[in-house]
Amino acid sequence: MKIKRWILMLVGLAGSATAFGQAGKSDPRIGYLHPAGACVATTTEIVAGGRNLRGMKEVRVSGTGVEARIIKTYRPVKNLDPAERDLLKWHIACRRAELDGKPLPPEPKPQAGPDGKPAAVVELPEMLLLDLLKTLDPVRLEHWVTVTQRVGKNSQNSQPGELVRLEIKVAANAEPGIRELRLGGPLGLSNPLRFEVGTLPEIFENEPNEPGVTSNGTAVSLPCTFNGQILAGDVDVFRFRARAGRNLVVRGEARSLIPYLADAVPGWFQMVVALRDSKGREIAYADDFRFDPDPVLNFKVPADGDYQLEVRDSIFRGREDFVYRVSIGELPFITSSFPLGGRENVPLVTAVRGWNLPGDKLGLDTTAGGQSTRATRMAAGISPSNEVSYAVDSLPEAIETEPNEDSDHATAVSFPCVINGRIGKPGDADVFRVEGVKGRELMVEVLARRLKSPLDSVVHVADESGEILGWNDDAMDKDGHLQLGDGLLTHHADSRVRVKLTADGPVFVRIADTQLHGGPDHAYRLRLCESRPDFELRVTPSVLNVPPGGHVPLQVHVMRNEGFEGEIRLGLKDAPPGFHLSGATVPAGVTQARLTLTTPAQGKDGVYTPRLIGTAGEGEKAVTVTALAADDMMQAFLWRHLVPAGEWLVSVNSGRGRSSAVELESPLPLRIPVGGLAEVKVKVPKWIVDRNLQLELSDAPPGIRLSAVRKTPGGLAFDVLADSSAASGLETNLIIEAFGDAPAKKQAAKNSPRVQVATLPAIPISLIHPTAP
């Protein structure tokens, strides 16, 4: 029998889905929550594992109906020596004796040292294990007996881990669904992690619960939600009772809780679920649901009896952040809907298909002014259904009519419009005819995969003679290894193509599945319109931690749509007085911009919710959009994704240090000739100047470097140098960090003579030709 390493869960943090080059090293970070959910009208204890979590004081949960408080925080537990291990075993033996009604064993006596002197009194470090020991029942106690054998051995993680024990109270009227949970303390707010409010009874795994082990007791009744973690090589088994004829849905959640892991392939916990009968025979299995890595299966119970749910990783990996939830019962699950959206302010009812649904119709909110992509659920008894995604547009709507497999039978549609259709069978194709006008630009875009349709579209645009004017399979926008668009999709299967028409006459648009699949679930929305150049913004990270009067870097990502290449001016709305941005311009054609936000030196500590906005154009033609908060997360050592967050937060916290009060005195933007230099003068407080400063560029563009710092009467100065390899015409911002001598006490305590003392306001630069005036 495998011994599951629970103690490592309690004292370590596996490499988690970390942000790429955005969160400061001192920022609090949560790597996992366990369990990752709770039922309405219950109070539950959970554990958060992460780093920089000492001194956490508050819990921030999005939405309403959830209250949370911190019970205790724990430092990482290092290896225990033999005397400490003996003492820990004695505590567990005492608990076993209490449960059995037997006398307590004698406390181990410290052994004398080699010189004959009495040994020091043995004291155990604070551990979650010890705090929970008095609450353990006999089954859980046996688990902890095996835990003691693993203390200090074969740690799974190279990263230090810290724990926070939380109490979560969920109101009876709390809205079911995913929330964002953050922790707050002296270093500011943590990243968000997903926590689910459920409606089913919650069952927690009791180790050992591997195949063939029955210490979990009697089978549970359905419906319920099972919670657990998978460590290395682990397989968890839950027993449940089911009646013949029941139509069970088993729905797993793992990747939806922690979307990306930076240091694991394929970049998330790839959960597998299997059902076994009372004799251990596998009778159902799933490792995904279409293109979603989280498994879902539908199973009709053949006979009354006890069954087993088996949960594991697809390749038997495991670690602390392999957290899961599996809901099982006669649960409603929507497998598809049609149409996938509608026009603004026009009432819309979509037809739904699936399992255990109370009906086949679902009303959708099309009120103007909201997001273009939305989601809703179907209410159904004890548990709502999974979410249905749909789109809302301002264009006229049309429905495809069969037969329309080729240009001879093409469906004529007005231009512009959105066509709702389905690739109804394998090998099917839909063809639409529009009247083309010479000089007009035709934009063809498919919305399917983004709305959870299994369709993997391919689009061809042809003229009357059959000549292909343009085609596209997957329209994936990316910037290097950063994938833009929907941050939760890893296969961007929707098509998009732009065609400049060179003659009047009919144009035929053909859509099919690139793998020749099809069926009633393969729905799509096909947008036919002229190009509408515009843009979207994402701001990362989703939380900025900054001291009063400090400067903190942030990054703005621009999704330039349909040929938009213009300059974007950035600003803040709903921000407290004294908040301002430096380097707040995104040059034309640029898709990323790093800048800094500054808070007032006399500002109050607190969490603020400003909005970052971007404006392009002038006067009546100006367009302003609000940036959506996101976190830049890495998948499997390489790919990065902008994972959406519910809100953008700025945590002003004096615990992060003194106000740097740094001001730039040089004219901006800084014009630097290629092969030359430009001087920067900075006004800084004397306490910073006296720290023997060194400056470092953060993510510097190629060919740019800094000279040594020079003291000036008002502060300091340095040069920005551009060598001959620098790109003439480059416009960007420089983010510069200042490091100085650490205070003597900190040097002695941490053996670190250098610390970061400030981040300078972003410095806009423009690289010019050496002969430019």
Side-chain angles (χ1 to χ4, degrees):
M1 179 184 70
K2 178 193 66 61
I3 300 175
K4 187 172 180 179
R5 293 182 275 184
W6 271 82
I7 189 65
L8 300 177
M9 177 275 288
L10 297 175
V11 301
L13 169 67
S16 58
T18 55
F20 181 84
Q22 58 166 357
K25 293 182 180 179
S26 63
D27 284 346
R29 181 153 195 89
I30 314 174
Y32 65 89
L33 300 173
H34 179 61
C39 182
V40 295
T42 63
T43 299
T44 305
E45 282 194 16
I46 71 170
V47 172
R51 66 171 185 259
N52 298 328
L53 301 181
R54 277 173 272 176
M56 292 290 103
K57 298 179 179 179
E58 63 173 320
V59 188
R60 187 183 182 101
V61 182
S62 62
T64 60
V66 180
E67 298 178 3
R69 70 178 182 91
I70 291 174
I71 300 173
K72 194 173 182 179
T73 62
Y74 301 84
R75 295 187 177 190
V77 178
K78 299 181 180 179
N79 292 350
L80 301 181
D81 61 31
E84 291 171 329
R85 188 169 296 144
D86 287 343
L87 183 58
L88 182 59
K89 290 180 179 179
W90 174 76
H91 280 290
I92 297 175
C94 288
R95 178 57 181 164
R96 178 183 288 152
E98 289 176 351
L99 292 171
D100 292 342
K102 297 179 179 180
L104 300 183
E107 184 174 356
K109 295 181 179 180
Q111 299 294 320
D115 55 1
K117 293 182 180 180
V121 176
V122 178
E123 293 185 0
L124 288 173
E126 287 190 335
M127 283 196 252
L128 182 57
L129 181 159
L130 292 176
D131 286 350
L132 295 178
L133 196 58
K134 291 293 185 181
T135 67
L136 296 177
D137 60 25
V139 172
R140 294 289 285 163
L141 180 60
E142 291 308 310
H143 157 66
W144 290 113
V145 170
T146 61
V147 166
T148 62
Q149 302 172 22
R150 306 304 303 175
V151 174
K153 296 182 180 179
N154 303 322
S155 175
Q156 285 176 273
N157 305 311
S158 60
Q159 301 184 29
E162 299 173 10
L163 299 175
V164 181
R165 185 179 169 195
L166 309 172
E167 181 185 79
I168 305 289
K169 185 177 181 180
V170 184
N173 62 349
E175 185 72 21
I178 295 293
R179 308 296 184 90
E180 290 184 342
L181 185 149
R182 300 175 188 261
L183 300 179
L187 296 178
L189 280 179
S190 74
N191 60 302
L193 256 184
R194 298 179 177 197
F195 181 86
E196 183 175 31
V197 173
T199 60
L200 304 178
E202 303 272 337
I203 307 297
F204 306 103
E205 64 168 325
N206 281 329
E207 288 290 335
N209 67 339
E210 290 77 31
V213 178
T214 59
S215 62
N216 258 340
T218 59
V220 302
S221 299
L222 301 182
C224 67
T225 296
F226 294 113
N227 293 268
Q229 282 175 303
I230 296 294
L231 298 188
D234 195 9
V235 178
D236 286 349
V237 175
F238 299 90
R239 296 175 58 206
F240 64 91
R241 183 169 295 111
R243 297 179 59 184
R246 296 296 172 89
N247 190 42
L248 298 185
V249 168
V250 180
R251 182 185 178 198
E253 295 172 273
R255 198 257 182 171
S256 59
L257 300 173
I258 303 178
Y260 296 106
L261 302 174
D263 55 352
V265 178
W268 50 75
F269 167 23
Q270 182 61 66
M271 179 168 58
V272 170
V273 295
L275 295 181
R276 296 183 182 275
D277 63 17
S278 58
K279 296 182 179 180
R281 295 173 299 197
E282 183 177 283
I283 51 180
Y285 167 94
D287 63 357
D288 57 23
F289 180 70
R290 295 174 178 161
F291 56 87
D292 187 341
D294 282 344
V296 180
L297 65 82
N298 180 222
F299 173 70
K300 192 163 186 177
V301 181
D304 291 355
D306 289 356
Y307 294 82
Q308 293 181 354
L309 170 70
E310 186 176 284
V311 181
R312 63 174 176 85
D313 178 68
S314 62
I315 52 176
F316 295 94
R317 302 167 303 162
R319 57 193 220 181
E320 292 88 337
D321 49 3
F322 279 31
V323 177
Y324 65 84
R325 289 167 61 79
V326 181
S327 297
I328 180 169
E330 290 187 289
L331 309 178
F333 190 88
I334 298 174
T335 58
S336 66
S337 62
F338 186 81
L340 295 179
R343 192 174 188 181
E344 290 180 346
N345 292 327
V346 176
L348 177 63
V349 175
T350 187
V352 295
R353 294 161 47 91
W355 309 311
N356 302 323
L357 300 181
D360 59 1
K361 303 293 182 183
L362 179 62
L364 304 180
D365 176 21
T366 59
T367 305
Q371 296 291 329
S372 59
T373 300
R374 308 178 188 184
T376 189
R377 298 173 183 265
M378 174 177 280
I382 191 173
S383 176
S385 74
N386 56 310
E387 284 190 340
V388 170
S389 296
Y390 65 100
V392 177
D393 207 300
S394 60
L395 298 179
E397 300 271 327
I399 300 288
E400 68 143 333
T401 56
E402 295 284 354
N404 62 346
E405 290 79 13
D406 52 44
S407 57
D408 291 338
H409 301 89
T411 301
V413 295
S414 301
F415 181 88
C417 70
V418 177
I419 305 165
N420 294 281
R422 283 184 279 210
I423 302 301
K425 59 184 178 181
D428 188 19
D430 293 341
V431 181
F432 303 94
R433 169 178 172 153
V434 297
E435 291 302 318
V437 177
K438 182 179 180 179
R440 171 180 280 175
E441 188 172 65
L442 174 62
M443 180 73 184
V444 180
E445 182 179 20
V446 177
L447 285 85
R449 185 59 57 90
R450 286 170 287 178
L451 301 177
K452 300 184 180 180
S453 168
L455 177 67
D456 184 355
S457 65
V458 58
V459 164
H460 292 83
V461 180
D463 62 16
E464 193 171 17
S465 69
E467 180 181 354
I468 301 298
L469 305 177
W471 74 279
N472 180 253
D473 180 5
D474 300 336
M476 183 178 71
D477 295 324
K478 62 180 182 177
D479 190 348
H481 289 119
L482 175 65
Q483 296 193 30
L484 303 173
D486 189 328
L488 298 177
L489 276 181
T490 54
H491 181 192
H492 297 262
D494 289 343
S495 308
R496 183 175 66 244
V497 62
R498 292 163 57 196
V499 175
K500 188 69 172 286
L501 302 181
T502 59
D504 294 341
V507 176
F508 298 90
V509 179
R510 181 182 186 273
I511 178 173
D513 185 274
T514 190
Q515 301 179 60
L516 301 182
H517 295 167
D521 296 342
H522 286 60
Y524 62 82
R525 283 171 63 80
L526 183 67
R527 296 184 76 251
L528 305 178
C529 61
E530 290 191 89
S531 292
R532 300 183 304 177
D534 64 1
F535 64 97
E536 302 171 54
L537 299 177
R538 304 288 186 271
V539 55
T540 61
S542 64
V543 62
L544 300 178
N545 292 307
V546 58
H551 315 279
V552 60
L554 59 108
Q555 188 142 348
V556 173
H557 304 267
V558 184
M559 274 63 82
R560 295 181 177 273
N561 301 326
E562 302 180 25
F564 172 75
E565 296 293 334
E567 178 185 272
I568 301 170
R569 304 178 300 280
L570 303 174
L572 296 172
K573 291 197 70 174
D574 305 325
F579 277 51
H580 72 269
L581 301 174
S582 298
T585 299
V586 183
V590 172
T591 57
Q592 294 188 42
R594 296 191 73 204
L595 56 150
T596 54
L597 180 141
T598 303
T599 59
Q602 305 304 319
K604 295 182 179 180
D605 283 11
V607 178
Y608 300 92
T609 57
R611 290 187 296 144
L612 189 143
I613 60 172
T615 302
E618 302 289 345
E620 295 181 355
K621 295 184 178 180
V623 175
T624 298
V625 303
T626 298
L628 300 180
D631 286 300
D632 184 344
M633 302 179 74
M634 180 181 284
Q635 172 199 352
F637 306 98
L638 182 63
W639 291 106
R640 292 157 46 216
H641 307 267
L642 300 180
V643 177
E647 51 187 351
W648 189 51
L649 305 175
V650 178
S651 174
V652 179
N653 198 310
S654 54
R656 295 186 67 87
R658 298 166 61 183
S659 168
S660 59
V662 177
E663 298 180 20
L664 298 175
E665 295 186 315
S666 300
L668 298 176
L670 199 66
R671 290 166 56 85
I672 310 171
V674 174
L677 57 84
E679 184 183 53
V680 178
K681 292 184 177 180
V682 183
K683 181 179 178 181
V684 298
K686 187 176 184 300
W687 72 268
I688 292 182
V689 174
D690 293 341
R691 297 282 284 274
N692 186 24
L693 290 186
Q694 292 179 349
L695 302 182
E696 291 186 8
L697 278 168
S698 173
D699 294 337
I704 303 297
R705 56 191 175 90
L706 304 178
S707 71
V709 177
R710 306 182 294 274
K711 291 185 179 180
T712 67
L716 56 87
F718 59 90
D719 297 326
V720 180
L721 301 91
D723 63 30
S724 58
S725 66
S728 180
L730 174 68
E731 295 181 4
T732 189
N733 293 328
L734 298 183
I735 305 297
I736 301 176
E737 297 171 339
F739 295 83
D741 295 337
K745 290 183 179 180
K746 290 188 176 181
Q747 290 187 37
K750 297 187 177 182
N751 194 28
S752 176
R754 307 288 290 172
V755 296
Q756 183 176 345
V757 297
T759 297
L760 275 59
I763 302 175
I765 66 167
S766 176
L767 299 188
I768 60 175
H769 192 273
T771 61

